[in-house]
Amino acid sequence: MSRVAPSANFRDPVGLLLRMLKSRNRAAYGALFREGLRLGAMPFDRVLKHFEARTLSASSESPHPQVLIVGAPRSGTTLVYQALAHYLNVTSPSNLSAMFLQAPLTAARLHSCLPSFSKPDFRNFYGQTTRLSGPNDAFHLWDRWLGDDRYHPAESLSEDTVADMRRFLNAWTLAFDRPFLNKNNRNTSCISLLARHLPAARFVVVRRNPLYVAQSLIRAREQVQGDKSVGWGLQSSTSDDSADPLGYVDDVCQQIMSIDRDMEQQLDHVSADRVIRVTYEGFCEHPQETICNIALAFDGVELNPNAALHELTPFESSRPLTLSSEEAARIRARLQPSSDPAAAVSRC
């Protein structure tokens, strides 16, 4: 069976719009609402970019780290991101700042002057969070440096690109006087690249039982692309063999194994003190302990004194399997048995 990469990040934008409207998911509605606001904000964005340029030109080296959450798509990285953004004393790109493509930092600084929600919202729609203040994947930032292909990022960076990336992240953390936190699944393929060019970068590696990752990726293909046979997410592929009705299952399994293999190869080149590993299942069962463990792992990262971490209760880690018996059997045959999902955590 031969495979070809998707020609675009989204195959059926109009169909996706209709499916989002039918989803009854507030995060999906929020994403559509923000897209409308972004179009209306474009004139203000053009004005703010001049303030942004002055801020960036005056930036200097920052003492704060960048904490980057990585992992396969549908492995639980968004939930970990939402929790860390609320319970750690960090700064993150928000959905509002993502509306200002030319002046995201200036928009984030203005947004910080507004009242914030005291309770987090953990809902999301394939990485899209609900509120304007909710944490954002920040493709509007990473696309500047890694390209706009969300499935296959750049493999090298020019000196000017590295300088621009460092200047921006330094300016961001200095503006808020806190570490920078972000989750972007595409960065999973750039761990060693980012580690080399961002000495202050630290990595939270999230894994999940691959059976549930496969199920969720198949569901994402249906919901986002409108077709199980069309690839979605980092390192995905689209089968061009119509003879096998379960060809898409093989594609998804290959995607999961490829990401895991690539991630481990890259982590081999990153110092162990810059990496902490968690599982989605372990995080859901022990969220307080895992958040504490992450705060303790990295210098300069602390708990948010204004967030009531002690009130955070466990999450439901996975919904029941909805795969057909044929899909489940094919996945189990292709993937190695998952390891113990219990995360190694320590208490504050």
Side-chain angles (χ1 to χ4, degrees), residues 285-301:
E285 186 177 358
H286 303 288
Q288 293 185 32
E289 293 89 337
T290 306
I291 292 170
C292 288
N293 197 36
I294 293 170
L296 291 170
F298 301 138
D299 290 340
V301 178

Side-chain angles (χ1 to χ4, degrees), residues 190-244:
C190 304
I191 293 173
S192 59
L193 182 69
L194 295 173
R196 181 166 66 253
H197 294 304
L198 296 175
R202 303 294 183 264
F203 300 91
V204 178
V205 179
V206 182
R207 278 194 170 82
R208 184 184 185 185
N209 185 319
L211 180 63
Y212 285 96
V213 176
Q215 171 174 266
S216 195
L217 283 172
I218 291 171
R219 174 59 177 162
R221 286 171 170 234
E222 288 184 302
Q223 189 76 16
V224 179
Q225 303 289 38
D227 188 340
K228 288 182 180 181
S229 68
V230 179
W232 178 85
L234 178 68
Q235 296 191 25
S236 64
S237 58
T238 296
S239 173
D240 61 0
D241 186 355
S242 59
D244 184 358

